Amino acid sequence: MKKIVIVGAGASGVYLSILLKQKLSNTDVIVVEQNAVSLKKVLASGNGRCNLSNRYITQECYHSDNNELVGKIVKSFDMLKEMDKLGLHCLYQGQLLYPKSEQALSVKQIFMHRAEELGVCFLYNQEVLSIEYHQSYIVHTNQQQIHADVLIWAMGSEAGKLSGINQSRYDVFKKLHLKVVPPQPSLVQMYTKPVIKQWKGVRIKGTFSLLEDGQCIHTEKGELLFTDYGISGIAVMQLSAFYQQGHDYQLEIDFFDEEDEKNLTEYIELRSNKGYNHFYDGLLHSKIASYFEKMSNQSVSHIVHQLKHFRLNVAGLRSYETAQVMKGGLSLKEVDENLSIKKYPHMYAIGEILNVAGLCGGYNLHFALASAYQVAKAIEREDHVTNT
Ligand SMILES: Cc1cc2nc3c(=O)[nH]c(=O)nc-3n(C[C@H](O)[C@H](O)[C@H](O)COP(=O)(O)OP(=O)(O)OC[C@H]3O[C@@H](n4cnc5c(N)ncnc54)[C@H](O)[C@@H]3O)c2cc1C
């Protein structure tokens, strides 16, 4: 009987195991997982609600070394329809797709029920350390050797510390002479210099820009949270995706994005002409207002400039432990349009182990499952050719 081994029981690996068992008869599908359980990251995703996809999916929502390929893969996958086939009813909330139950647990339960009903074999507490190729593959784990006719890498990333922080996921590729783009955290909080301690815990709405050498490289409208190390919040997570190590960045905050500078100047002049001493009251959070009050003897134009273009130096990104994804991973230059690894036969890679990182908003789970779907179709075609 043909044996397919999938390394990693995350969203991409488990979904692929289901598709393969549905499509192929006479095939053993084995999922090898280093953790004691499957789908740890799925359970944590979307704050326990699991944001599976987004209405607006294009290649621009991803960072990778072949965005055209990523665009084709994500566009050809209909998450709503495919989840429905598994029995997972999903609904859009605005742009974002969630399970109807709004529980990531439902995703885990439905995936694991379908996989077990179809007879997928899960081997837990087994870390894959290396492989050998002699016509077919021998997979070496920390406990045993497993024979495989087809091998799929679905090892995810260390982001969030939920899928292990082992180096083996990258070492296996090095041993196979496959290019790995160095991983770095993405969708993560930022350290700032200075940290304005008195703003800790304050959440603001506004427009936030990431400046590289004084030039704006990306802008996000949304929410930001001041913390004891710097800044957090969805807008910050999105901006972090544009950060590259070794470059200098500043964050620019527009506290009054609903007003242009002219209107804001007139408004502040009016308040100061009326003789109001505390003219920030009610305009800004009290902790931010008291910070700006210290500048109240400055000119109106200077104050307006501070409110529209307040800058903090970005001192770096927080680590993989608090990141949602990692940029980097196995280079897309190593795979063809079916995510088949060009240098080795019957070997594929899916999900976050690839050098593909999406923005916040369901893009990463969408890619994880869309890439599994793409590979399932390719293996089915391969199987059909061998059997005829
Ligand atoms: C806190 C958090 C919240 C998130 N929220 C969202 C969200 O709402 N929407 C969204 O789209 N994305 C979200 N993401 C990102 C998304 O969850 C991941 O991109 C996606 O789950 C990746 O799936 P994967 O199968 O590629 O990898 P993973 O889920 O990382 O799974 C890989 C598996 O491989 C195993 N493994 C690794 N190396 C080996 C080895 N050598 N041997 C055996 N097993 C190995 C790991 O233990 C792991 O179980 C979130 C991530 C985090 C951390």
Side-chain angles (χ1 to χ4, degrees), residues 279 292-303 306:
F279 56 85
F292 281 115
E293 287 239 315
K294 293 188 188 123
M295 303 188 305
S296 54
N297 57 354
Q298 290 175 337
S299 68
V300 170
S301 67
H302 182 83
I303 292 168
Q306 283 288 312

Side-chain angles (χ1 to χ4, degrees), residues 7-13 32-35 41-42 44-46 50-52 126-128 154-157 159-160 162-164 166 168-169 323-325 350-353 362-366 368:
V7 185
S12 63
V32 186
E33 168 58 50
Q34 64 179 357
N35 285 334
K41 215 177 257 181
V42 162
S45 64
C50 195
N51 172 201
L52 279 162
Q126 299 214 28
E127 180 178 359
V128 171
M155 298 177 290
S157 79
L162 296 157
S163 301
N166 54 311
S168 59
R169 58 161 64 82
Q324 288 197 8
V325 286
I350 54 174
E352 214 191 304
I353 189 65
Y363 298 107
N364 289 297
L365 281 165
H366 188 97

